Amino acid sequence: MSASLDHASDRAGDDRAGDNRASVNRASDNQAGRGQLGRVGLWTGSLEGVPPAGIPDLLGELEEQGWGSLWFGEAVGREAFTAAQLYLGATRRMAIGTGIANIYGRDASAAGAAARTIEAMHPGRFVLGLGVSHAPLVERHRGHNYGRPLSAMREYLDALDRTQPMAAGEDTMPPVVLAALGPKMLELSRDRTAGAHPYLTLPEHTARAREILGGTGEDGPALVVEHAAVVAAGVEDDDELWRSRARDHLNIYTGLPNYRNSWTRQGFDESDYVRGGSDRLQSAMVTRGVEATRARVQEHLDAGASTVLVQVLGENILVPPVEDWRHAYEGLLG
């Protein structure tokens, strides 16, 4: 986990003549490296329960454990770029990724400027994950009209490509990846960015995504896959412990059309989409114990993932599961 992810500077002037889809992070120009992201990292939403003053100690603990990368989302809590700077400033070597920064949270001009500033301050340690989020969050929480996902993302990338470095020493964009579940968004990830960041998917989805993206997990576009797990001590013998955390985790997602559509493509049906998920959905999406999690991570890697981000589910989403993180690291990477 020592080398940094390959990152591209603004290549707008270097693209082949006549190509009107120029991108600061075209996959062909920016083969995503394995490096600082490592093969296994963490994904968490729990940092929103930690006051800013407590972040350095917490992330220092994660670095001490040995984790090389950490990703987080953007829904109704911290603003993604501010949070990324907070977390990068609290660490010395860890790579930080947005999983994802909501494109409705700021226009492309602001996103490009912020990304370049963060990259200048922490070279090679920031990955900008972008996504269209979900209609309820965009319309009810943010007050925007939720457009057609593929068109909205394509237009946003077009606008991002048109941004120019305007501040001294901020010429370089970090790598960009897209929250991609369906084939069209995966194709857009391949054609316009450094890769994709799927969420709540099976290894079979990873294999299909790698086929679309091209290359392999070692040398192709980035395929940064999230996977949820309960690894608390004794979970193998405690069905209710695992089930309650899996149910709590899936509760909001089972109400979101984008995930329901993705799961349908992966072989599930309406009977699985009860709030919190059916037994089948819970078992498929949330592994139980370190051994099962290690096996699932390997399945994703074998299917073509470049990095698997383990989302360790604790007792409360706003309480960082520090001991469970340690247990997971020892079992997966120790």
Side-chain angles (χ1 to χ4, degrees):
M1 296 186 188
S2 56
S4 63
L5 185 77
D6 292 348
H7 59 279
S9 36
D10 190 336
R11 301 179 186 273
D14 299 327
D15 286 345
R16 288 185 289 271
D19 187 347
N20 63 359
R21 296 183 304 161
S23 174
V24 293
N25 282 287
R26 180 184 301 284
S28 61
D29 289 338
N30 179 30
Q31 294 292 327
R34 303 312 105 205
Q36 190 123 334
L37 288 185
R39 297 290 269 167
V40 181
L42 281 180
W43 200 107
T44 188
S46 65
L47 301 185
E48 307 231 328
V50 181
I55 292 294
D57 286 344
L58 176 63
L59 296 193
E61 167 74 8
L62 277 181
E63 284 200 314
E64 183 179 320
Q65 288 180 13
W67 296 101
S69 64
L70 177 72
W71 290 57
F72 64 96
E74 180 182 41
V76 297
R78 289 190 178 114
E79 189 276 330
F81 289 87
T82 308
Q85 174 55 30
L86 173 64
Y87 305 152
L88 285 160
T91 54
R92 294 177 294 105
R93 59 172 180 79
M94 186 179 288
I96 301 294
T98 57
I100 49 75
N102 185 343
I103 65 170
Y104 292 94
R106 65 210 60 80
D107 64 27
S109 178
R116 287 185 172 93
T117 300
I118 293 174
E119 175 64 23
M121 296 179 69
H122 307 281
R125 292 178 56 208
F126 178 51
V127 182
L128 174 56
L130 294 172
V132 298
S133 188
H134 304 275
L137 291 172
V138 170
E139 296 187 344
R140 297 176 197 167
H141 176 64
R142 296 185 181 275
H144 299 294
N145 293 323
Y146 189 72
R148 295 174 62 86
L150 189 66
S151 296
M153 181 57 77
R154 185 181 292 114
E155 291 170 4
Y156 196 88
L157 292 175
D158 289 344
L160 188 62
D161 289 344
R162 292 193 295 269
T163 65
Q164 297 293 327
M166 301 297 290
E170 299 184 11
D171 297 334
T172 303
M173 277 287 291
V176 174
V177 298
L178 302 186
L181 296 174
K184 294 298 185 181
M185 194 68 79
L186 284 163
E187 290 171 1
L188 188 65
S189 302
R190 175 197 65 204
D191 295 340
R192 301 291 299 274
T193 77
H197 174 39
Y199 189 95
L200 286 171
T201 55
L202 295 170
E204 292 81 1
H205 181 279
T206 298
R208 291 192 292 272
R210 175 50 67 192
E211 184 177 354
I212 291 171
L213 291 174
T216 70
E218 287 73 30
D219 64 10
L223 182 52
V224 184
V225 177
E226 175 272 348
H227 171 69
V230 181
V231 301
V235 68
E236 294 87 350
D237 301 318
D238 190 337
D239 186 70
E240 183 53 32
L241 172 61
W242 166 76
R243 193 169 300 282
S244 65
R245 295 190 185 184
R247 184 171 54 244
D248 289 348
H249 174 60
L250 293 173
N251 186 56
I252 186 172
Y253 300 119
T254 47
L256 296 174
N258 290 358
Y259 286 117
R260 293 162 71 110
N261 292 338
S262 173
W263 288 329
T264 298
R265 289 191 295 267
Q266 294 178 72
F268 299 93
D269 58 41
E270 287 297 324
S271 67
D272 294 303
Y273 307 150
V274 295
R275 293 309 286 263
S278 66
D279 290 349
R280 180 170 74 140
L281 189 66
Q282 291 173 11
S283 297
M285 293 295 145
V286 183
T287 48
R288 176 176 178 174
V290 171
E291 291 302 320
T293 301
R294 182 188 303 139
R296 179 60 58 82
V297 167
Q298 191 61 52
E299 289 173 357
H300 278 294
L301 293 173
D302 290 344
S306 54
T307 297
V308 180
L309 304 173
V310 179
Q311 183 171 184
V312 177
L313 305 179
E315 184 176 358
N316 185 312
I317 191 174
L318 295 180
V319 178
V322 177
E323 289 306 314
D324 289 354
W325 283 337
R326 183 181 298 279
H327 189 46
Y329 180 84
E330 292 170 352
L332 299 173
L333 294 170

